Amino acid sequence: MIVALHVATGAAAGAASGSRLAALLAGPILHLAGDRLPHQDIRSRRFEIGSGLASVVLLAVRRGPLYPATLGAAASSAPDLEHVLPFLRPGGRKLFHGRRGWHRSGHFPADLQLLLAGAILGALVAPRSRAGSGQRPTSREPA
Ligand SMILES: [Zn+2]
């Protein structure tokens, strides 16, 4: 699964749980679950790293580095670091993407994943809406 969507699902889970610990624990599980879904991948490693990193940084800037959504995003995307950092593969073995068969290729299109990731992240970093609280002044209302 594309990194940006790992980031987005981790962030959403972190935000929903409201707990840093839960966000950190849920991350790797969500990563495995996401990779298990038959999906397309983006071949450009540069794009994958860039978009993932940008998404986590965006969350950290807008919500704070220790906000559950930010921690969840980092925890959920972290397992993909073993693709690029050799020291995370002791004995050359990948922990999350090894032979155990979690990773499934399939029909979940990469551009749809990207769209979903953008929508989720957009909602999470958007300024807090006050809709529904009854506080928002409605200036355009007919008298
Ligand atoms: Zn993965």
Side-chain angles (χ1 to χ4, degrees):
M1 177 165 283
I2 69 167
V3 177
L5 191 50
H6 281 310
V7 170
T9 49
S17 76
S19 148
R20 288 174 188 163
L21 185 65
L24 287 172
L25 291 178
I29 298 168
L30 276 170
H31 188 101
L32 288 170
D35 277 352
R36 188 82 164 83
L37 223 63
H39 61 277
Q40 291 176 2
D41 281 302
I42 293 176
R43 300 231 175 273
S44 165
R45 186 154 282 181
R46 179 187 268 186
F47 176 85
E48 283 282 76
I49 295 170
S51 57
L53 214 60
S55 306
V56 174
V57 167
L58 181 67
L59 281 163
V61 168
R62 293 300 296 264
R63 290 282 173 250
L66 294 179
Y67 187 72
T70 311
L71 293 177
S76 171
S77 52
D80 273 344
L81 287 175
E82 71 179 356
H83 294 309
V84 283
L85 301 175
F87 69 87
L88 292 175
R89 306 190 297 264
R93 223 171 268 161
K94 290 183 178 177
L95 185 62
F96 286 89
H97 306 85
R99 300 237 182 97
R100 277 168 231 167
W102 276 103
H103 194 271
R104 292 270 185 279
S105 291
H107 293 300
F108 189 12
D111 50 3
L112 185 59
Q113 294 178 51
L114 201 58
L115 203 70
L116 258 172
I120 295 171
L121 288 167
L124 286 173
V125 301
R128 292 253 185 267
S129 153
R130 278 188 281 157
S133 69
Q135 302 286 317
R136 185 181 289 247
T138 49
S139 51
R140 295 280 169 91
E141 208 134 20

